[in-house]
């Protein structure tokens, strides 16, 4: 929902300068992609399950992140800011996934 809002917001407001929005869009899709990778590792590595909807969601999230980075969503004059916010968001997503992973692993091994 956040990515959809960020994608439509410049159109809705007729804003000419959408650089901040583009940085936020790149950051949000990066967080989605990173978190999806970790959720897939939990799904396959810990739970040993398969879920077609989960896989589809992860693929879409990763493709959105790739399109944002390779498709030029990040403005050239704000690349440093975009990389910094995306790296911070990816680190936050990684940390959240690790906390989630530890809790699941702990619950699985309890009798």
């Amino acid at each position: 929902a956040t990515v959809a809002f960020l994608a439509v917001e410049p159109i809705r407001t007729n804003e000419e300068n959408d650089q901040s929005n583009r940085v936020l869009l790149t950051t949000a899709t990066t967080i989605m992609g990173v978190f999806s990778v970790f959720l897939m590792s939990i799904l396959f590595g810990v739970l040993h399950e398969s879920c077609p909807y989960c896989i589809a969601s992860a693929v879409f999230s990763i493709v959105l992140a790739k399109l944002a980075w390779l498709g030029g969503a990040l403005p050239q004059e704000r690349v440093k800011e975009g990389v910094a916010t995306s790296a911070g968001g990816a680190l936050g997503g990684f940390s959240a996934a690790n906390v989630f992973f530890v809790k699941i692993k702990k619950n699985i091994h309890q009798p």
Side-chain angles (χ1 to χ4, degrees):
T2 302
V3 172
F5 173 77
L6 289 171
V8 174
E9 183 63 15
I11 297 168
R12 188 182 69 80
T13 60
N14 290 328
E15 186 177 328
E16 290 294 322
N17 187 4
D18 64 345
Q19 289 185 359
S20 295
N21 189 42
R22 291 168 63 188
V23 170
L24 290 173
L25 188 60
T26 304
T27 301
T29 56
T30 301
I31 293 168
M32 285 172 49
V34 168
F35 198 69
S36 292
V37 167
F38 284 103
L39 289 178
M40 289 295 98
S41 68
I42 290 171
L43 183 67
F44 296 127
V46 177
L47 300 175
H48 304 289
E49 294 290 330
S50 179
C51 170
Y53 298 112
C54 301
I55 295 168
S57 174
V59 168
F60 292 144
S61 296
I62 293 166
V63 167
L64 277 173
K66 185 175 180 177
L67 286 173
W69 279 101
L70 300 179
L74 197 58
Q76 287 291 14
E77 52 275 355
R78 296 188 65 185
V79 169
K80 281 187 177 182
E81 179 187 355
V83 169
T85 57
S86 293
L91 183 61
F94 175 76
S95 300
N98 280 331
V99 167
F100 191 55
F101 178 78
V102 168
K103 284 187 171 271
I104 286 178
K105 194 110 169 141
K106 181 181 170 187
N107 289 338
I108 287 176
H109 294 298
Q110 286 182 347

